[in-house]
């Protein structure tokens, strides 16, 4: 019995076919090889075409089929993981009305902040567990205010994964987890937030049918089955945002368990059974994949927009023909602390953990007679690790105190230097597993199709491939405090609106 997982990422779409019994990947593919573009018509804007995601899904699945090793007719269920917080709008014919306003778009920050104030901070935090900020609800309000012609044609709003499921099945559904990540869900009443709906003047009819994450979200239509080389009628039995899905793929389901990822963005995601919130909404709480009204499981999420995106910029700017693996080897030649070179990795939109400020990315303390590309490569990894530590300290303020963090050996965790730097910065050991979003989506589909008797059973054969313990925490603490002082100065400058030295800007 086979399972198909689809991961709609910012950079590419990845698919894999998994053997349900062995829980291993038989074949996988991604498309494109180069990172997908993000459209930025104005500073702070970020959009992608939902149709592009659909075309990439087709291309990735076609590449996967060509690798062979399985019969597509044996695929029993489909799961979808997707980049969170994106706004997709379709009309009554299921045609997209505009490009998706994606997760790192900052245009709606002021709208969300105003809603937070006028609805009431305590109401928002105690009912939605978050400020509206620049989440999906605020993005929809931006469209309503600035593109009334588009807004008037909306039949349904969706998250990116809901859109791909719609393309597969012709049906439009969502979940409590998806609604919560958009700040549309009221945890006190376990339904659509009347406060948000009434404040922004949204119609209830804009929202899809709400179903559990692990359930049937429709079946593949005949036309789509022929297009994709699949069997008509295969159910889509799982949909989840990339970070809840990453946690699922690492078997992070119980209160106190914590996962991390360092792809385009960086995330620490911990599970709680408490309806708690950060008073400043710097870290955010959403319904986890296994959330129910009877058994509350919340995902507490720290997000850093600029992790892999910073390292990609460093590669393109300073790496020349070097691969990421070669860059990592060069970085290891530079000393801990990069001889004083510091990088703030905040150049990919407003950062929630910095109170939605756009601090920008900064490269500081360059010594033209000392620093080499190797220093820059290491300083980038250290800056990203420091950002994780800064965010984890906020999570600790809110009662999340992990003794171990699980991560997939992928993206930046492929670098032994980064993994060690992350551990030294946070002081928390890391367990590494061979996993990715498409594998998690496939196994989630198996849970939703009731192929596995329990959620834990879906990951019973996962093997740890690495364990990293703290080695240089005391030495790195000096680096971190220096980095933190630099960040706090830029936060002060940002608050006061003072003019910055452009020579320090990346």
């Amino acid at each position: 019995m086979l399972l198909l997982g689809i991961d709609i990422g910012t950079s590419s779409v990845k698919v894999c076919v998994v053997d349900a019994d062995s829980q291993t990947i038989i074949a996988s593919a991604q498309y494109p090889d180069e990172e997908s573009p993000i459209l930025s018509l104005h500073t702070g804007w970020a959009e992608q075409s939902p149709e592009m995601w659909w075309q990439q899904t087709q291309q990735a699945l076609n590449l996967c089929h060509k690798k062979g090793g399985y019969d597509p007719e044996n695929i029993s269920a489909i799961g979808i993981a997707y980049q969170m917080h994106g706004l997709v709008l379709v009309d009554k014919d299921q045609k997209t009305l505009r490009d998706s306003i994606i997760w790192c778009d900052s245009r709606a920050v002021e709208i969300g902040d105003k809603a937070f104030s006028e609805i009431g901070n305590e109401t928002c935090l105690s009912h939605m567990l978050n400020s509206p900020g620049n989440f999906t609800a605020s993005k929809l309000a931006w469209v309503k205010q600035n593109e009334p012609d588009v807004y008037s044609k909306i039949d349904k709003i969706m998250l990116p994964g809901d859109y791909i499921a719609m393309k597969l099945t012709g049906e439009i559904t969502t979940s409590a987890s998806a609604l919560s990540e958009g700040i549309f869900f009221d945890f006190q009443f376990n339904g659509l937030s009347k406060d948000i709906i009434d404040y922004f003047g949204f119609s209830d009819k804009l929202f899809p049918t709400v179903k559990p994450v692990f359930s049937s979200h429709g079946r593949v239509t005949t036309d789509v089955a022929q297009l994709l080389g699949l069997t008509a009628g295969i159910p889509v039995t799982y949909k989840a945002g990339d970070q809840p899905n990453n946690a699922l793929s690492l078997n992070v389901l119980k209160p106190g368990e914590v996962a991390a990822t360092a792809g385009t963005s960086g995330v620490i995601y911990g599970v709680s059974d408490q309806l708690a919130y950060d008073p400043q909404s710097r870290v955010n709480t959403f319904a986890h994949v296994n959330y129910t009204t009877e058994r509350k499981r919340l995902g507490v999420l720290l997000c850093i927009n600029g992790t892999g995106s910073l390292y990609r910029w460093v590669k393109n700017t300073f790496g020349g023909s070097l691969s990421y693996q070669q860059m990592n080897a060069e970085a290891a030649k530079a000393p801990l602390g990069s001889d004083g070179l510091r990088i703030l990795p905040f150049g990919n939109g407003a950062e929630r953990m910095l109170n939605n400020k756009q601090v920008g990315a900064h490269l500081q303390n360059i010594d033209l007679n000392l620093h080499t590309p190797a220093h820059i490569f290491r300083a980038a990894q250290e800056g990203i690790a420091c950002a994780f530590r800064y965010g984890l300290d906020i999570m600790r303020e809110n009662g999340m105190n992990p003794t171990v963090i699980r991560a997939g050996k992928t993206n930046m965790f492929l670098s032994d230097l980064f993994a060690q730097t992350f551990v030294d910065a946070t002081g928390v050991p890391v367990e590494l597993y061979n996993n990715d979003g498409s594998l998690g989506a496939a196994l989630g589909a198996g849970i939703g199709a009731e192929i596995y008797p329990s959620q834990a059973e879906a990951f019973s054969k996962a093997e740890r491939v690495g364990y990293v313990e703290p080695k240089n925490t005391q030495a790195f603490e000096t680096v971190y405090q220096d980095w933190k002082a630099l960040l706090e100065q830029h936060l002060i400058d940002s608050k006061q609106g003072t003019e910055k030295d452009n020579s320090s800007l990346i």
Side-chain angles (χ1 to χ4, degrees):
M1 187 177 298
L2 304 180
L3 304 167
L4 173 61
I6 303 172
D7 183 14
I8 310 299
T10 310
S11 300
S12 64
V13 171
K14 184 172 183 180
V15 303
C16 74
V17 174
V18 172
D19 178 80
D21 292 332
S22 66
Q23 300 172 12
T24 58
I25 295 175
I26 296 173
S28 66
Q30 72 175 43
Y31 189 88
D33 291 330
E34 298 296 323
E35 296 182 2
S36 299
I38 294 176
L39 306 176
S40 185
L41 300 178
H42 300 280
T43 301
W45 288 26
E47 300 182 2
Q48 286 185 325
S49 164
E51 181 60 26
M52 178 187 74
W53 303 332
W54 176 233
Q55 293 298 324
Q56 291 176 350
T57 300
Q58 296 174 51
Q59 295 282 358
L61 188 54
N62 184 51
L63 289 172
C64 197
H65 287 338
K66 287 181 177 179
K67 292 185 176 181
Y70 65 92
D71 183 349
E73 291 188 359
N74 292 331
I75 294 174
S76 300
I78 300 173
I80 300 171
Y82 59 89
Q83 51 172 290
M84 297 173 71
H85 313 304
L87 174 67
V88 181
L89 308 173
V90 298
D91 63 16
K92 58 183 178 58
D93 297 317
Q94 298 188 351
K95 303 295 184 183
T96 54
L97 294 167
R98 69 174 329 278
D99 285 342
S100 172
I101 304 175
I102 66 170
W103 58 277
C104 55
D105 187 284
S106 305
R107 76 187 70 183
V109 170
E110 291 184 6
I111 291 173
D113 288 348
K114 183 179 179 183
F116 190 42
S117 175
E118 295 187 356
I119 293 173
N121 295 19
E122 180 59 29
T123 297
C124 287
L125 294 175
S126 62
H127 286 257
M128 276 72 75
L129 308 183
N130 303 284
S131 160
N134 64 329
F135 291 112
T136 317
S138 301
K139 294 168 183 173
L140 179 60
W142 184 94
V143 173
K144 185 171 184 280
Q145 291 179 21
N146 294 277
E147 299 177 348
D149 289 344
V150 171
Y151 185 85
S152 68
K153 297 173 185 175
I154 300 173
D155 180 62
K156 290 291 183 286
I157 69 164
M158 289 177 280
L159 280 295
D162 300 329
Y163 174 79
I164 296 301
M166 180 200 78
K167 296 296 288 186
L168 289 167
T169 69
E171 297 186 30
I172 304 178
T173 69
T174 193
S175 66
S177 182
L179 289 174
S180 74
E181 73 174 78
I183 319 300
F184 294 114
F185 191 75
D186 189 317
F187 284 92
Q188 299 293 336
F189 296 105
N190 285 300
L192 276 174
S193 167
K194 190 174 186 301
D195 291 309
I196 291 290
I197 301 302
D198 289 351
Y199 176 81
F200 286 129
F202 300 150
S203 168
D204 291 359
K205 296 179 181 179
L206 296 179
F207 297 90
T209 301
V210 181
K211 291 190 173 185
V213 168
F214 302 106
S215 65
S216 178
H217 295 275
R219 294 178 177 272
V220 174
T221 64
T222 300
D223 289 347
V224 170
Q226 291 176 350
L227 178 68
L228 301 180
L230 299 173
T231 302
I234 299 172
V236 174
T237 54
Y238 170 82
K239 292 187 300 182
D242 52 9
Q243 299 310 323
N245 178 72
N246 180 65
L248 172 77
S249 70
L250 292 164
N251 197 22
V252 170
L253 295 166
K254 299 176 182 177
E257 294 179 334
V258 177
T261 183
T264 302
S265 63
V267 167
I268 298 178
Y269 185 99
V271 179
S272 172
D273 56 2
Q274 302 297 313
L275 294 177
Y277 53 84
D278 175 49
Q280 297 182 51
S281 207
R282 297 165 297 174
V283 297
N284 303 107
T285 304
F286 308 112
H288 194 24
V289 294
N290 55 345
Y291 175 91
T292 66
T293 55
E294 299 80 18
R295 190 181 178 87
K296 292 179 171 53
R297 295 292 180 265
L298 292 306
V300 181
L301 185 151
L302 159 77
C303 181
I304 307 160
N305 292 351
T307 53
S309 56
L310 169 72
Y311 210 47
R312 178 194 65 212
W313 182 90
V314 168
K315 180 180 185 298
N316 292 342
T317 307
F318 301 102
S321 61
L322 295 180
S323 67
Y324 283 116
Q325 184 177 10
Q326 290 169 324
M327 285 173 57
N328 296 337
E330 286 296 307
K333 296 177 182 178
L336 186 152
S338 306
D339 283 323
L341 191 64
R342 301 285 178 263
I343 293 182
L344 300 182
F346 304 119
N348 194 24
E351 295 283 357
R352 292 196 293 277
M353 76 171 185
L354 304 180
N355 298 110
N356 281 323
K357 291 184 174 64
Q358 294 198 55
V359 173
H362 299 260
L363 198 158
Q364 301 274 165
N365 305 333
I366 300 173
D367 185 329
L368 300 178
N369 298 309
L370 173 64
H371 293 130
T372 67
H375 287 89
I376 294 174
F377 303 156
R378 180 161 192 146
Q381 295 198 21
E382 290 180 340
I384 293 165
C386 286
F388 271 110
R389 159 66 184 280
Y390 188 88
L392 182 58
D393 284 350
I394 295 172
M395 297 182 78
R396 286 166 169 150
E397 290 175 21
N398 288 275
M400 188 66 63
N401 293 288
T403 56
V404 67
I405 294 173
R406 297 176 193 164
K409 192 170 178 60
T410 185
N411 298 317
M412 294 204 66
F413 280 105
L414 287 169
S415 166
D416 292 339
L417 174 64
F418 176 76
Q420 187 64 60
T421 304
F422 176 96
V423 169
D424 289 339
T426 61
V428 182
V430 165
E431 295 179 345
L432 294 170
Y433 294 82
N434 282 329
N435 81 307
D436 63 23
S438 61
L439 173 61
L443 296 176
I447 297 170
E450 299 183 347
I451 292 169
Y452 300 113
S454 68
Q455 293 168 4
E457 184 65 26
F459 305 95
S460 61
K461 298 178 182 178
E463 294 184 4
R464 194 175 77 182
V465 297
Y467 183 74
V468 185
E469 295 183 285
K471 287 183 179 178
N472 303 301
T473 52
Q474 186 172 355
F476 199 84
E477 184 67 18
T478 302
V479 176
Y480 173 69
Q481 292 300 332
D482 185 53
W483 179 95
K484 182 181 177 183
L486 179 64
L487 170 62
E488 290 177 343
Q489 183 57 55
H490 281 289
L491 286 170
I492 293 170
D493 291 346
S494 174
K495 183 176 181 180
Q496 294 177 346
T498 57
E499 185 174 335
K500 302 178 183 65
D501 178 2
N502 289 334
S503 66
S504 72
L505 292 174
I506 283 180

